[in-house]
Amino acid sequence: MKWENHSVMMEFTFLAYPSCPELRALSFLGVTLVYALIITGNVLIMVAIRSEAHLHTPMYYFLGSLSGVEICYTAVVVPHILANTLQTQKTITLLGCATQMAFFIGLGSIDCFILAAMAYDRYVAVCRPLQYPLIMTLTLCVCLAMASVVIGFFLSLQLVAFIFSLPFCHARGIEHFFCDVPPVMRLMCANSHTHEQSVLVAATLAIAVPFFLITTSYAFIVAAVLRIQSAVGRCRAFSTCSSHLTVVLLQYGCCAFTYLCPNSSYSAKQGQLLSLVYTLGTPLLNPLIYTLRNSEVKGALGRVLTRNYLSHKS
């Protein structure tokens, strides 16, 4: 990374936080509540999958991995948001901003690739059910998860190294709650079109490529399900994929609006709203969607909570 034009101690100021004390207190309480629900929901899913032997399958392995990534993903920015909400000086150093962006983009990319791995798992389960145990082995699941981590952080480090090698203008105010790509790019003094295209390529690799893999998998799934003669069989096949598809639409819809739109059409207020959705909304909805729409997970969570209650009571 080229730091010649920057001081590592250079500071940025976040401008999106409310100035009214009442609004700050309300924001702090609201974000704290949502963050607590995110951690609780995702931890419960991980504990249920680990403690229930019948959930030790590829689908739930990826679901547990997704919950772990969601916990880390929110931990990168939410505690910092909470601290800034209460502080008078809402600043971050250049190195801190680059580090936060690297982890945030990296974990978000891992999230996308794990969703693609889950789509492949559903494709094999629906389209090649007899070969499913031979194809979706534990070794393959671990390899897909590790590949998601390596590719996600590789793309993130390349993007962040590129962004922070560019010259910044004198303005140091970021119209956002944390160091995200679009608001930081607006502080650059270099040729915006060239750099915008470079960021678009990185975003395409991290978002559009796994989304293409997911849509391809679901195209084969829909074709296979439509060939099933029994209406009950079709409903059962679709129900195994509906939760995952709902999460995919939420995740990729927000990411596409944020990272695949031209910088010239970027709106600070719209970006702030979308960032709250994919930083707090999606990690909160993921465990709810998988719990409410999956009887096996609901049953496992019920047994885990019952065991914990009985153990504390005794």
Side-chain angles (χ1 to χ4, degrees):
M1 186 180 293
K2 298 178 181 178
W3 294 92
E4 298 89 40
N5 297 325
H6 306 316
S7 167
V8 176
M9 298 308 294
M10 178 193 299
E11 287 190 339
F12 299 102
T13 303
F14 297 108
L15 305 177
Y17 291 89
S19 57
C20 175
E22 290 79 9
L23 283 178
R24 286 205 303 269
L26 189 62
S27 300
F28 180 84
L29 292 175
V31 173
T32 300
L33 176 61
V34 173
Y35 187 47
L37 292 173
I38 289 170
I39 298 299
T40 302
N42 284 289
V43 167
L44 283 175
I45 285 182
M46 294 173 67
V47 170
I49 291 172
R50 183 176 179 83
S51 61
E52 295 289 320
H54 71 283
L55 296 183
H56 295 174
T57 63
M59 181 175 75
Y60 295 109
Y61 172 81
F62 288 125
L63 177 57
S65 300
L66 185 67
S67 292
V69 171
E70 296 282 20
I71 291 171
C72 298
Y73 175 74
T74 53
V76 170
V77 294
V78 177
H80 190 251
I81 290 174
L82 291 173
N84 278 336
T85 304
L86 298 179
Q87 291 174 352
T88 305
Q89 298 294 326
K90 307 175 193 328
T91 59
I92 190 171
T93 64
L94 176 75
L95 183 59
C97 188
T99 303
Q100 185 182 69
M101 185 186 292
F103 278 101
F104 182 74
I105 298 299
L107 289 164
S109 302
I110 294 168
D111 208 328
C112 292
F113 283 105
I114 287 180
L115 287 172
M118 293 174 75
Y120 176 71
D121 171 71
R122 293 299 83 206
Y123 157 75
V124 177
V126 174
C127 299
R128 305 175 70 179
L130 298 179
Q131 297 173 297
Y132 182 81
L134 300 176
I135 296 175
M136 297 305 299
T137 61
L138 178 60
T139 302
L140 178 62
C141 293
V142 172
C143 288
L144 289 174
M146 292 304 298
S148 299
V149 173
V150 171
I151 296 172
F153 276 120
F154 174 78
L155 293 175
S156 171
L157 290 173
Q158 294 294 313
L159 177 61
V160 172
F162 170 75
I163 290 174
F164 284 87
S165 67
L166 301 174
F168 287 97
C169 296
H170 294 295
R172 296 286 184 266
I174 300 177
E175 292 280 352
H176 211 58
F177 304 104
F178 57 91
C179 289
D180 205 356
V181 174
V184 172
M185 285 292 294
R186 292 176 71 84
L187 303 181
M188 302 298 174
C189 295
N191 184 340
S192 60
H193 179 73
T194 302
H195 301 125
E196 183 181 327
Q197 294 303 312
S198 301
V199 172
L200 186 62
V201 169
T204 300
L205 291 173
I207 299 171
V209 170
F211 185 70
F212 172 76
L213 296 175
I214 291 171
T215 53
T216 302
S217 298
Y218 273 99
F220 284 109
I221 288 171
V222 170
V225 170
L226 292 177
R227 288 196 296 268
I228 299 175
Q229 299 298 321
S230 167
V232 175
R234 286 197 297 271
C235 290
R236 186 180 296 113
F238 275 126
S239 67
T240 62
C241 305
S242 59
S243 299
H244 177 254
L245 194 56
T246 304
V247 171
V248 166
L249 293 175
L250 283 170
Q251 178 82 5
Y252 282 93
C254 294
C255 290
F257 274 113
T258 302
Y259 299 107
L260 297 183
C261 289
N263 197 38
S264 56
S265 64
Y266 175 78
S267 165
K269 294 298 182 184
Q270 184 184 43
Q272 292 163 19
L273 180 61
L274 283 174
S275 73
L276 292 177
V277 174
Y278 60 73
T279 305
L280 295 172
T282 306
L284 175 64
L285 289 174
N286 283 359
L288 290 176
I289 289 170
Y290 279 110
T291 302
L292 295 176
R293 300 182 65 88
N294 191 310
S295 58
E296 290 185 322
V297 176
K298 280 193 289 188
L301 285 175
R303 287 187 290 274
V304 168
L305 293 174
T306 302
R307 283 198 298 267
N308 288 339
Y309 173 76
L310 293 175
S311 63
H312 286 300
K313 191 175 181 181
S314 59

